[in-house]
Amino acid sequence: MPPSDYALTVSGFRTIDELEDALRGADYLPDRGLSTALFLALALEKPLLLEGEAGVGKTEAAKSLAQATGSRLIRLQCYEGLDVAHAVYEWNYPRQLLHIRAAQEGTVSEDELFGPEFLIRRPLLEAIDGDEPVVLLIDEIDRADEEFEAFLLEVLSDFQITIPELGTIRARRRPAVILTSNRTRELHDALKRRALFHWIGHPSIEREIEIVKIRIPGVSERLAAQAAAFVRELRGLDLAKPPGVAETIDWAMALNALGRQEIDAEVVEQTLGSVLKYREDIEAVRDETLARLVDSARTTAGA
Ligand SMILES: Nc1ncnc2c1ncn2[C@@H]1O[C@H](COP(=O)(O)OP(=O)(O)OP(=O)(O)O)[C@@H](O)[C@H]1O
Ligand SMILES: [Mg+2]
């Protein structure tokens, strides 16, 4: 099937706007660059690599895409030492042993020890060997070892997996694949070449206000605006870990839970731990800096 038909039949979206609306329906507000990248990933059947600072919505983009396309989300969380047994499949030895014992007792025959019923299916196999639409999230690929990355490359090129005892399993329907990376190490060119790439930056202040409002029902417009403006001020400082959207949401939630309609130096001081997670960072913005940032945020947000 040519790629354009695929995009139509699998995702049902003819335009980027349609996809954006569906993502919005899943409470996700992408910028135009991201929605274009997601649209193209579906249309061209290509994996999409999302990079960006912590908490900018990389993982959530994949979850929301699954929701927006009515697909099942299959997630492979990467970590150091992740291997084929945990990513693709492994044989269920205890079950095989029981089977052998039963065979010795003559209750069953011994010939099917490597049949599908003894296979433990891990995320990659699950994503490839199915008939329903799937979004495969390969999260934090930079944490996996380079050997695993090389293996992944093969899977993502051919969308097939070979199990020596069973043969080659080829995807009847390609999953949409989203890879995310926090750039703790650079990924291989070979992997990048096979994927589309998009860098997710911090959102514009208008978008961040919208995100806070969509994620915290009932939050006041003014609080959302002031929280977003203050976080933006923080991002302008030289911090060890600038706050992501996740922190803005957490913080606005905390302020909302305290019944605040707006921010002042005192409440910011008390709740700073929801937005900054490093002691050095908290100390860097205490005192004069904090008061100045609060003033500036209130002015920006039109308090
Ligand atoms: N564009 C957006 N629209 C709606 N919500 C968003 C958006 N971006 C981020 N969020 C919110 O921010 C939270 C953090 O996003 P997410 O966990 O996807 O970040 P991440 O980039 O994967 O971070 P990390 O690098 O720490 O894994 C999500 O729970 C989501 O609620
Ligand atoms: Mg993530």
Side-chain angles (χ1 to χ4, degrees):
M1 201 189 293
S4 55
D5 283 348
Y6 175 87
L8 277 175
T9 51
V10 170
S11 69
F13 306 117
R14 273 161 309 185
T15 62
I16 300 170
D17 284 330
E18 280 185 21
L19 174 58
E20 245 173 49
D21 285 346
L23 289 167
R24 185 176 277 270
D27 286 351
Y28 192 83
L29 307 181
D31 65 21
R32 194 64 172 179
L34 176 58
S35 44
T36 305
L38 289 168
F39 183 83
L40 290 176
L42 293 178
L44 304 175
E45 295 189 322
K46 281 209 165 211
L48 172 62
L49 169 61
L50 295 177
E51 283 191 340
E53 309 280 338
V56 290
K58 301 182 293 295
T59 302
E60 195 72 20
K63 292 185 187 171
S64 307
L65 183 68
Q67 203 180 325
T69 55
S71 305
R72 180 175 159 210
L73 177 78
I74 297 181
R75 178 173 185 169
L76 175 65
Q77 177 62 52
C78 299
Y79 51 88
E80 215 183 312
L82 174 63
D83 58 7
V84 170
H86 289 94
V88 193
Y89 72 91
E90 83 185 303
W91 291 106
N92 189 338
Y93 293 122
R95 211 167 152 189
Q96 286 174 322
L97 282 178
L98 285 175
H99 187 81
I100 291 172
R101 201 171 304 151
Q104 283 163 348
E105 287 162 6
T107 38
V108 297
S109 67
E110 207 188 303
D111 48 20
E112 283 160 354
L113 263 188
F114 291 94
E117 68 272 34
F118 297 107
L119 197 64
I120 303 174
R121 298 152 63 90
R122 303 293 190 197
L124 289 182
L125 180 58
E126 197 74 6
I128 278 190
D129 188 25
D131 292 312
E132 58 191 339
V134 161
V135 170
L136 171 63
L137 165 62
I138 302 174
D139 214 11
E140 306 186 351
I141 173 69
D142 51 327
R143 292 192 189 201
D145 307 309
E146 298 192 11
E147 301 86 81
F148 184 77
E149 196 185 317
F151 167 79
L152 200 58
L153 193 64
E154 268 178 57
V155 176
L156 296 183
S157 311
D158 308 336
F159 286 93
Q160 63 179 39
I161 287 169
T162 298
I163 301 176
E165 298 85 351
L166 290 181
T168 296
I169 295 169
R170 195 165 286 115
R172 293 178 290 288
R173 150 179 235 158
R174 285 191 176 195
V177 182
I178 307 290
L179 299 130
T180 80
S181 163
N182 282 48
R183 284 193 84 192
T184 55
R185 68 173 172 85
E186 202 56 48
L187 302 177
H188 283 279
D189 283 345
L191 184 72
K192 289 191 172 171
R193 219 177 305 127
R194 273 174 189 76
L196 302 171
F197 173 79
H198 182 73
W199 174 267
I200 305 189
H202 291 125
S204 67
I205 187 152
E206 294 78 18
R207 186 178 310 279
E208 194 151 12
I209 294 170
E210 290 304 310
I211 294 172
V212 169
K213 291 199 307 193
I214 208 168
R215 292 280 166 175
I216 313 175
V219 73
S220 82
E221 172 86 36
R222 194 199 284 169
L223 185 63
Q226 290 188 4
F230 184 82
V231 168
R232 195 185 164 83
E233 297 281 346
L234 289 177
R235 288 183 193 137
L237 303 176
D238 186 24
L239 297 176
K241 190 184 171 294
V245 180
E247 282 72 29
T248 315
I249 295 171
D250 283 352
W251 188 45
M253 235 176 229
L255 294 166
N256 195 44
L258 294 174
R260 302 299 297 227
Q261 301 295 317
E262 56 186 335
I263 60 171
D264 56 36
E266 195 188 348
V267 77
V268 171
E269 164 96 36
Q270 288 161 358
T271 53
L272 214 49
S274 305
V275 74
L276 294 176
K277 306 292 166 77
Y278 282 79
R279 186 166 151 242
E280 308 89 284
D281 286 348
I282 292 183
E283 269 161 18
V285 304
R286 280 260 152 84
D287 307 327
E288 317 93 277
T289 318
L290 191 142
R292 180 174 58 74
L293 295 181
V294 169
D295 277 350
S296 179
R298 287 170 58 103
T299 311
T300 312

